[in-house]
Amino acid sequence: MVGVVLSAVITATILVTGAVAQVLGTEPGAASPQQRPCMDRGWRFPVVEMSGGPREVLWKGPTRSWAKGAIIVLHGGGGEHVQWCVSNLGLTAAQVRFSELAVEEGFAVFLLNSSSEVRDNQGRVCGKIWDDEVRDRPNLDLPFIEQVIRQVMPPLRPTGSEDAVFLTGLSSGGYMTVRAATHFNALVTAFAPVSSGDPYGWHRRCEAGLAPRIKVEGAGYDNETGKQITERASCASPSYPNEARWDDGKALTKPSFRLFHHEMDGINDLSCAVKAARQLNAHGYPSEPDFLLRGGRRSLANHLWQDEYNRPILDFFASRLDR
């Protein structure tokens, strides 16, 4: 594993009552079997206790200061945060290499784990995904992300560290990246959604059943076309009258973004990324040109995190430090 095991053990549980948080302790031996291989590689695990129950975080940073700030990583639907610190499958190896490279280059990396409690507006269970769309109830994940930024990170940040906070995520985690970066635009320095689209302009239709569920149950649809986002041109529309109202953290200067995706993504059509960029620009978010991979056939494989994204994402984040 690239990077050095941190000497500081994060023994933190964040207990939240309203806006109040208190830091308490946990021991490494309490790690789950899934977390232990990450712990063996130097990752630590604060647990954030929210009103709906405990939420998991894994983190690792450079041995000294966080010279380039911190990156929050949001996994894809049906995934786990541990897939970014240890890989038993070739499909997730590129994700682990991203985390390793980030720590090696001076970023602290925070891996957040979604719940399995998300339901759609009809109350149907959606599976293990992020609460990445606008629904008729309080969001389950925005308070979690806020506590990581405001309460978990500050006591861990070594003296002399860069205080920049970056967001990236894959698929459902990419949609949640856009949602969180706009909701907390005064707290986020820059963001890089991967294989994702516009969280304010789509919805899921999930399946009735009992929570929790490990896999994703249901499908995503564009609000304008009514098409499933797997279909060609599913998010292509001349205007967006059915867009939900956008969150706005009232930043004086909004964070910049860069989209990363594949033109032959068979799960989240290219048109959905185009729509996301157009809407972000329309709401005042400056952008760098998309990083677009080309070639091949439309497939699930082209939806996944690619090694080709790793260096450009880190370079993009590093370029924001002097802005």
Side-chain angles (χ1 to χ4, degrees), residues 30-312:
S32 69
Q34 293 79 17
Q35 291 173 323
R36 285 173 190 149
C38 296
M39 300 287 289
D40 292 341
R41 290 164 173 80
W43 291 82
R44 306 301 183 189
F45 71 108
V47 177
V48 181
E49 183 65 36
M50 307 299 296
S51 60
R55 301 295 300 273
E56 296 177 331
V57 180
L58 284 160
W59 85 277
K60 188 175 183 180
T63 52
R64 295 182 180 178
S65 67
W66 304 351
K68 295 183 180 178
I71 302 172
I72 291 176
V73 178
L74 306 177
H75 63 73
E80 298 280 346
H81 63 333
V82 296
Q83 294 166 342
W84 297 82
C85 50
V86 64
S87 175
N88 296 319
L89 297 172
L91 295 178
T92 60
Q95 300 173 175
V96 176
R97 286 189 283 268
F98 173 79
S99 298
E100 293 174 342
L101 183 60
V103 173
E104 181 183 23
E105 298 210 346
F107 295 92
V109 178
F110 288 77
L111 311 175
L112 278 58
N113 204 22
S114 75
S115 73
S116 300
E117 305 298 329
V118 173
R119 296 173 180 265
D120 65 14
N121 277 329
Q122 288 70 45
R124 297 170 297 209
V125 179
C126 296
K128 194 171 185 307
I129 60 168
W130 296 97
D131 200 9
D132 49 19
E133 66 176 90
V134 178
R135 296 181 167 97
D136 297 332
R137 53 165 174 73
N139 189 275
L140 302 181
D141 291 321
L142 291 174
F144 174 38
I145 294 169
E146 182 176 16
Q147 289 303 320
V148 170
I149 296 173
R150 292 188 183 274
Q151 302 292 338
V152 176
M153 284 185 181
L156 305 179
R157 190 179 283 121
T159 301
S161 294
E162 171 64 52
D163 61 3
V165 176
F166 303 102
L167 293 181
T168 189
L170 170 67
S171 190
S172 172
Y175 278 82
M176 194 70 214
T177 291
V178 176
R179 184 78 193 277
T182 51
H183 188 86
F184 301 118
N185 57 23
L187 302 178
V188 174
T189 306
F191 56 107
V194 176
S195 302
S196 68
D198 170 19
Y200 299 97
W202 81 311
H203 63 280
R204 277 195 178 88
R205 299 174 193 166
C206 303
E207 298 178 9
L210 298 176
R213 282 175 166 171
I214 296 174
K215 62 180 182 179
V216 178
E217 303 285 350
Y221 297 85
D222 183 72
N223 287 355
E224 308 305 334
T225 66
K227 293 180 179 179
Q228 191 171 340
I229 61 172
T230 56
E231 299 179 55
R232 290 186 182 275
S234 54
C235 299
S237 177
S239 60
Y240 310 112
N242 295 307
E243 189 86 352
R245 182 176 180 178
W246 277 51
D247 298 342
D248 187 357
K250 306 299 182 183
L252 295 177
T253 301
K254 293 181 178 179
S256 59
F257 71 94
R258 190 178 189 190
L259 299 184
F260 290 75
H261 50 110
H262 199 296
E263 68 170 347
M264 292 299 179
D265 187 335
I267 302 300
N268 188 79
D269 186 71
L270 177 62
S271 63
C272 299
V274 171
K275 177 182 179 180
R278 184 180 298 173
Q279 285 292 78
L280 282 163
N281 287 154
H283 284 83
Y285 292 87
S287 62
E288 293 291 326
D290 290 11
F291 186 93
L292 179 64
L293 294 177
R294 300 182 182 275
R297 298 181 178 180
R298 296 181 87 243
S299 67
L300 165 63
N302 291 331
H303 182 66
L304 303 178
W305 190 282
Q306 309 293 322
D307 270 310
E308 292 89 337
Y309 299 152
N310 291 350
R311 167 55 59 194

